[in-house]
Amino acid sequence: MAQGLTRRAFRAAGMFGSVQVVQMLCTMARMKLISVWIGPLGVGLMGLYMSAFEMITNFTQFNIRTAAVRDLSMSASDAGRMQVVTSVVRRYAWILGVLGALVMFVCAVPLSHYSFSDSGHAVSFRLLAAAVLFGSLTGGEQAILQGHDRLKELAAGGLWSSAGGLLLSVPLYRLLGVEGIVPSIVVYTFCAWVGVAVYRRRTSRRPEITVSASDTLRLGLDFMKVGFYLTMASAIGSVVNYVMLVYVKSHAGETALGCFQAGYAMLWRYAAMVFVSVSFEYYPRLASVSGSRWRMSVMVGHESEFIGRMLLPCACAAIAASPLLVRMLYSQDFMPVLPYFVWGMAGMMVRPLSMAMSYSFLAMGRGREFCFTEVASGIVGLVINILAFRLCGFAGLGIGLIVWMGVDVLIMYAVYRRQGLGLGRGVVLSGIARVSVAGVCAALQMCGLWWAVAVIAALSAVPAVKMLRN
């Protein structure tokens, strides 16, 4: 069983990992151009606008991208019901998208005042309303593709949208400078929608079914309930990031804000692509065995081990090459963020276990438990981040991330055990060992011993290769 799970997870990670790499390269190119043409101010403004966009999106769209997948997957054996659910998902994507756009438009002035202490940027926030609409439509189509098991089309859509978004937004940075940041976000979200919408007809050989308003409301209640809890969980993450960005800007200035946003992107967007790649296959598979606590426990333990072994050599290599990565992705002006990234990568090694456990709540339809763990973790993380940055700057943020992730996994495990699920002792011990190895690598890198970290990275790849070959 373990061998089959490993092969399936590796195939999914390979396919979506490739897409994530292309998307990462496009993001790298975009941030590089912003940092060179506009400077740290541009990176910081991009972070503020993106945080506001993500916050409004999370509050208004009930995480339809994830919530609808479970209902679509459960309808896979009934073609007629699958068509009905597909139509309902598309209708909700439009409704929630328009609602989110209206909220962004109305909240433009308060967002401008809170972010910049004036109303001069309200027009920019109003332009983001279009991005909110496109984001909702994209999420609906992505859920449908995943629910119909069209993973190749889903991956291809992400690939083409990233490339198209980069090509169309580059002239905006060059010609408009700071004023081109918001239009570039709108262009990116539009390209993301087009990238998945072109595969719309491939989700079914039958014509789309027209569903009445009453049936739309009734059938959508199931994934909307789960989506509500997902929304609350996602919103707390966006709020935490937004509050932290504003705190850094007000206490350390716009240059420090740009550096913080750069470090945050390197950790949570680039390093986390491993988690995103695996989750496309892991979540539906876990939901299919949600009736058996034993099988779910086995899958959670296996997934944690698989992700951990794949991530450790990558994390160690990133720590060894961290100065080069900062210069390559941004510029020499962003080097103050190096301690945050180095120590933060060690903290990211805790994520495989907490991520594997968190998806078990969604697979069982326990949105309330999922929401509780995310909200509790977010509040703890915000407190730790503010205290750590106030005491030790960027180095404190990195070490604080390790503490935060440690508390996060304890919260997750306490709720996980209450669901009748378990973890093998070996899974926990191997997770602790990997975090310790990454922590040693971070300490060595801060002492200038990058070559020793490179050796550890090479050695840590051996268990990953063995797992794939067995």
Side-chain angles (χ1 to χ4, degrees):
M1 180 179 177
Q3 184 177 7
L5 293 178
T6 300
R7 289 176 178 176
R8 291 183 61 179
F10 183 70
R11 282 197 297 267
M15 180 168 60
F16 287 100
S18 300
V19 176
Q20 291 288 317
V21 168
V22 173
Q23 292 177 334
M24 180 187 71
L25 292 175
C26 291
T27 302
M28 287 167 52
R30 180 174 61 164
M31 298 308 295
K32 180 68 175 181
L33 293 175
I34 293 176
S35 64
V36 172
W37 289 342
I38 307 177
L41 172 61
V43 178
L45 291 177
M46 172 67 83
L48 280 173
Y49 285 127
M50 283 300 299
S51 295
F53 162 72
E54 292 171 357
M55 182 174 61
I56 296 297
T57 297
N58 288 332
F59 270 122
T60 60
Q61 294 177 12
F62 289 86
N63 213 313
I64 191 173
R65 168 67 186 89
T66 303
V69 171
R70 185 171 182 267
D71 288 70
L72 288 163
S73 299
M74 293 174 62
S75 304
S77 59
D78 187 340
R81 179 172 174 79
M82 174 67 90
Q83 288 297 101
V84 172
V85 176
T86 298
S87 298
V88 170
V89 171
R90 287 197 172 114
R91 184 169 294 182
Y92 269 88
W94 272 103
I95 294 172
L96 296 175
V98 172
L99 173 63
L102 290 175
V103 172
M104 174 62 81
F105 193 88
V106 171
C107 294
V109 173
L111 286 172
S112 179
H113 273 290
Y114 186 73
S115 301
F116 301 97
S117 300
D118 60 52
S119 59
H121 296 78
V123 174
S124 297
F125 283 107
R126 289 193 179 111
L127 289 176
L128 287 177
V132 174
L133 174 60
F134 291 134
S136 179
L137 299 179
T138 302
E141 293 299 328
Q142 288 176 332
I144 292 169
L145 287 172
Q146 188 175 357
H148 282 261
D149 199 28
R150 301 288 184 177
L151 299 183
K152 291 183 179 179
E153 288 88 343
L154 181 60
L159 180 67
W160 290 112
S161 64
S162 296
L166 177 64
L167 292 176
L168 292 177
S169 62
V170 165
L172 297 175
Y173 303 137
R174 188 59 176 174
L175 296 176
L176 302 179
V178 173
E179 300 300 325
I181 292 177
V182 171
S184 74
I185 297 174
V186 177
V187 167
Y188 250 84
T189 55
F190 174 75
C191 290
W193 173 55
V194 172
V196 292
V198 294
Y199 297 102
R200 176 176 178 141
R201 293 184 178 180
R202 300 188 184 185
T203 57
S204 177
R205 297 179 181 178
R206 301 180 181 182
E208 187 169 327
I209 297 176
T210 301
V211 185
S212 65
S214 59
D215 288 338
T216 298
L217 178 61
R218 178 177 55 85
L219 294 173
L221 282 178
D222 289 338
F223 63 79
M224 289 293 287
K225 289 177 182 177
V226 177
F228 171 77
Y229 290 112
L230 288 174
T231 296
M232 298 305 296
S234 299
I236 191 64
S238 297
V239 170
V240 166
N241 182 40
Y242 187 71
V243 171
M244 193 63 199
L245 284 169
V246 174
Y247 178 83
V248 172
K249 177 178 177 293
S250 61
H251 286 75
E254 293 181 342
T255 300
L257 171 65
C259 290
F260 171 75
Q261 180 61 24
Y264 181 89
M266 291 174 68
L267 284 171
W268 293 99
R269 299 186 190 276
Y270 303 147
M273 69 179 183
V274 177
F275 308 131
V276 175
S277 301
V278 175
S279 67
F280 281 107
E281 187 272 339
Y282 171 59
Y283 174 37
R285 173 163 52 87
L286 191 63
S288 67
V289 299
S290 57
S292 171
R293 296 293 189 269
W294 177 80
R295 295 187 68 183
M296 288 191 69
S297 298
V298 171
M299 285 190 178
V300 169
H302 176 272
E303 204 71 17
S304 171
E305 190 70 14
F306 173 78
I307 300 174
R309 290 194 184 187
M310 295 298 107
L311 184 62
L312 181 59
C314 299
C316 294
I319 290 173
S322 53
L324 178 62
L325 287 175
V326 173
R327 296 190 188 97
M328 182 177 66
L329 296 175
Y330 299 98
S331 67
Q332 184 68 28
D333 296 336
F334 291 83
M335 288 304 290
V337 81
L338 190 63
Y340 175 35
F341 176 72
V342 169
W343 288 108
M345 282 304 299
M348 292 301 290
M349 289 307 306
V350 186
R351 288 292 295 167
L353 183 56
S354 61
M355 189 213 81
M357 288 190 292
S358 68
Y359 272 97
S360 68
F361 308 145
L362 296 178
M364 292 187 294
R366 303 292 178 85
R368 185 178 301 177
E369 286 77 1
F370 180 84
C371 179
F372 169 78
T373 56
E374 293 298 315
V375 170
S377 175
I379 294 174
V380 171
L382 180 60
V383 173
I384 292 176
N385 282 342
I386 291 177
L387 291 176
F389 184 73
R390 192 177 186 89
L391 293 174
C392 302
F394 286 115
L397 275 179
I399 298 174
L401 182 61
I402 300 177
V403 178
W404 176 17
M405 292 296 98
V407 175
D408 173 71
V409 80
L410 292 177
I411 295 173
M412 201 75 63
Y413 183 70
V415 180
Y416 178 81
R417 288 290 297 169
R418 289 179 63 87
Q419 310 309 310
L421 301 170
L423 286 174
R425 184 179 180 182
V427 174
V428 177
L429 293 178
S430 61
I432 294 174
R434 283 189 289 269
V435 175
S436 300
V437 170
V440 170
C441 288
L444 291 173
Q445 177 64 33
M446 297 309 298
C447 294
L449 301 175
W450 64 267
W451 56 269
V453 181
V455 172
I456 295 175
L459 294 176
S460 64
V462 175
V465 174
K466 287 184 176 179
M467 188 176 191
L468 294 177
R469 295 183 62 180
N470 290 336

